[in-house]
Amino acid sequence: MTGGEALVRALAAQGTDLAFGIPGTHNLEIYRHLAAYRIRHLAPRHEQGAGYAADGYARVTGRPGVALTTTGPGLLNIATAVGQAYSDSVPLLVVSPGMPLRHPRIASGLLHEMPSQTGAFGHLTAFSHRVSSVGEIGAAVARAFSLFRSRRPRPVHIEVPLDLLDTADDPGPPRTAPDQLPARPRPQELRAAAEVLARARRPALVLGGGAHGAGAEALALAERLDAPVATTANGKGAFPESHPLALGVRLHTPAVRTWLAESDAVLAVGTELAEADLWSPAPPLTGTLLRADIDPAQMYATLPAGIPLVGDAQETLRGLRDALATAGTGSGAGAAAGARAVAALRAAADAGAGHRERSRLPLLAAIRSVLPPDAILTSDSAQCCYYGALPHLPVDPPGRYLHPTGFGTLGYALPAAIGAKAGEPGRAVVALSGDGGLQFTVQELATAVALSLPLPVVIFDNGGYGEIRDEMAARGDAPVAVDHPPVDLGALARAYGGHGVRAGTPAALADALREALVTPGPTLITVPEPAAPGPETEHPEETAP
């Protein structure tokens, strides 16, 4: 069996049924065998788009996203998407050829040659593994999937020397990553945490991306404790935002930051509590911090844990529920004082919204009114998303909201929506972006056309990089390179074979979105942004337009 077939067989043995990528001179032996092993393939127009699509697929399906690249520039093109997946703990497997086994260390001018692909990607991934035999390929793939299932998911890169792809040898028996029981904190830590929560008069829950899959347990615990629940951008959708205890994505607001600082017990589940989550340095906490995370290193990061709870989020929250029941604590009476606190905090947070943020509310309400409850939304590092949809477009499970947190990449929304739609073709998927971010990956409209499934793409057009424009104005600087000449984005979508319309009012937006949800292919809906009387409230993500 050639190395290329051994690789495809190994992917199929782990349950891979879809790969994203672009064929190139050096990876053709991989592509030769995809159909035989029933692995479908979706070809984005750029490797960065392939990475974002695989990321979106992984987030909504819970299965690792697989991306195939060629050597050199093809691999480096996906690096930004890999960095985003690392930041957001997404299981992403990138497979590429590499220089031949006996390639000289002195550059020889071979096509796509670079000093070390594994050296570059070893700093972007959980690990970058260069195999040295056909028989090692299955073990390398099983190692990647074992990490995805047992630890904090991070991207992985596997490199197969290009001459090994065409070499026939014994691959050994198929290998699969072993099933592992979810990790659970130690009983004494669960008991200690339950005692702190039982005594708390002002408990707080903060749910991050690691809490997805534990939403039912988080809801039961919040109701038992009568505790307000805030979510990070990555945690949006883990807890129903229509619930009276839900604060939503408002950790960046002064009122909610003060509430967090004054809570006497804070249970943070699957979140780093980092600047990317809070949009500023973490506030000093006066209460006990209980950190629940699959990653032991998080117990000592940013804000050290008063009580560490290392384990799977679902198992940890179940253990806390059992410990509280054994102690006879918690009334289970549902939201009362907690709901009143949430209503006051929401009102205080929303009172500080800027003019442009308030002007988007009718548009976001129009989007929500059309979408089914289980819709999937993807967003970009754009003002319409972090000032708009994140705090003001409510999402309840099983709906999902995918946002590029932390690394703060641009151009994520469209290809991530393509990956989400490929993974969940029966669910409504909508991409939200700004005109600046869209143009980082606008060529993926062609990929969406090839997918031939309904995919609305809502673009809030502020004529360039609105966030950086506002930051320049706040500094007293003259705007430089932030204002773009007008682009007829609808015409661009039609040129790719999709559809394009403008919607200047909430009613027009609702009508256009309703039509787009039943029209095969992408429909790009341009929403002109209203002008603001001055710069928006300062936002710390300096690279976000």
Side-chain angles (χ1 to χ4, degrees):
M1 184 179 290
T2 66
E5 183 176 359
L7 173 64
V8 175
R9 184 188 72 157
L11 292 173
Q14 305 299 336
T16 302
D17 62 358
L18 177 63
F20 303 85
I22 299 176
T25 298
H26 287 162
N27 65 9
L28 297 182
E29 181 62 21
I30 299 173
Y31 276 82
R32 168 183 285 179
H33 299 285
L34 292 175
Y37 286 88
R38 298 183 180 179
I39 296 179
R40 296 177 294 130
H41 183 266
L42 190 62
R45 297 306 185 264
H46 190 277
E47 286 88 358
Q48 190 175 94
Y52 293 148
D55 176 302
Y57 170 90
R59 295 197 201 201
V60 301
T61 65
R63 300 189 296 272
V66 175
L68 308 175
T69 79
T70 192
T71 40
L75 180 61
L76 292 182
N77 280 344
I78 206 172
T80 298
V82 172
Q84 188 62 61
Y86 190 95
S87 176
D88 289 351
S89 302
V90 176
L92 172 64
L93 175 59
V94 177
V95 179
S96 78
M99 292 297 101
L101 279 171
R102 293 179 176 83
H103 186 67
R105 293 188 178 274
I106 298 175
S108 62
L110 191 65
L111 179 67
H112 299 334
E113 184 181 53
M114 60 181 285
S116 174
Q117 294 185 159
T118 55
F121 273 71
H123 295 285
L124 288 172
T125 58
F127 64 83
S128 179
H129 185 141
R130 175 178 166 93
V131 303
S132 58
S133 69
V134 172
E136 188 184 350
I137 292 172
V141 173
R143 177 190 176 197
F145 279 79
S146 180
L147 178 145
F148 297 150
R149 295 176 183 177
S150 62
R151 291 165 46 192
R152 181 181 186 178
R154 300 283 207 186
V156 169
H157 169 232
I158 294 177
E159 174 180 299
V160 184
L162 62 93
D163 54 341
L164 205 59
L165 287 173
D166 289 306
T167 297
D169 204 345
D170 180 8
R175 295 173 174 85
T176 57
D179 291 329
Q180 300 186 42
L181 293 175
R184 199 177 211 197
R186 293 180 298 181
Q188 60 266 36
E189 291 163 349
L190 289 169
R191 287 194 297 269
E195 290 172 4
V196 169
L197 292 171
R199 293 194 306 266
R201 302 187 65 180
R202 297 184 306 279
L205 266 65
V206 180
L207 305 181
H212 285 291
E217 289 75 14
L219 177 58
L221 186 62
E223 290 181 341
R224 185 179 192 95
L225 297 171
D226 192 22
V229 179
T231 58
T232 68
N234 266 345
K236 185 177 176 71
F239 191 88
E241 292 185 307
S242 62
H243 195 280
L245 287 174
L247 282 166
V249 184
R250 289 179 172 83
L251 284 168
H252 58 287
T253 63
V256 176
R257 286 172 56 80
T258 299
W259 159 77
L260 193 67
E262 295 178 349
S263 296
D264 50 2
V266 177
L267 174 59
V269 183
T271 173
E272 295 174 326
L273 288 179
E275 183 179 84
D277 301 312
L278 305 169
W279 299 6
S280 62
L285 301 183
T286 57
T288 303
L289 175 61
L290 300 82
R291 299 198 71 152
D293 206 289
I294 194 70
D295 184 357
Q298 289 306 307
M299 301 302 125
Y300 317 103
T302 315
L303 295 173
I307 298 178
L309 300 167
V310 179
D312 172 78
Q314 190 175 52
E315 285 296 309
T316 299
L317 295 181
R318 285 175 178 167
L320 284 174
R321 179 196 62 195
D322 295 343
L324 284 166
T326 300
T329 55
S331 66
R340 292 192 294 273
V342 166
L345 287 167
R346 277 178 172 261
D350 293 346
H355 166 80
R356 199 180 303 152
E357 185 173 350
R358 291 192 301 272
S359 71
R360 296 187 187 101
L361 297 183
L363 296 166
L364 295 169
I367 293 173
R368 182 68 273 175
S369 70
V370 173
L371 295 181
D374 68 343
I376 299 165
L377 295 114
T378 65
S379 77
D380 226 323
S381 292
Q383 288 182 325
C384 61
C385 297
Y386 45 68
Y387 293 137
L390 275 171
H392 299 300
L393 201 162
V395 173
D396 286 1
R400 285 296 305 270
Y401 190 99
L402 316 185
H403 185 72
T405 310
F407 209 50
T409 187
L410 286 163
Y412 175 84
L414 173 57
I418 291 169
K421 191 68 175 178
E424 295 284 354
R427 293 171 66 176
V429 178
V430 177
L432 305 175
S433 186
D435 58 303
L438 171 72
Q439 294 182 72
F440 276 61
T441 53
V442 70
Q443 70 277 2
E444 302 307 343
L445 286 168
T447 313
V449 169
L451 192 61
S452 194
L453 292 171
L455 186 64
V457 182
V458 181
I459 303 301
F460 289 75
D461 188 349
N462 61 16
Y465 300 131
E467 177 63 25
I468 307 305
R469 183 192 297 129
D470 288 349
E471 290 185 10
M472 287 178 170
R475 290 164 51 92
D477 298 342
V480 178
V482 292
D483 296 309
H484 293 169
V487 176
D488 189 340
L489 297 173
L492 184 58
R494 291 190 291 274
Y496 276 112
H499 315 276
V501 297
R502 287 179 69 85
T505 67
L509 175 56
D511 289 342
L513 183 56
R514 194 176 290 110
E515 181 70 19
L517 286 168
V518 295
T519 301
T523 300
L524 198 152
I525 305 170
T526 303
V527 180
E529 283 266 55
E536 291 269 29
T537 305
E538 183 180 356
H539 189 286
E541 293 180 10
E542 297 180 358
T543 58

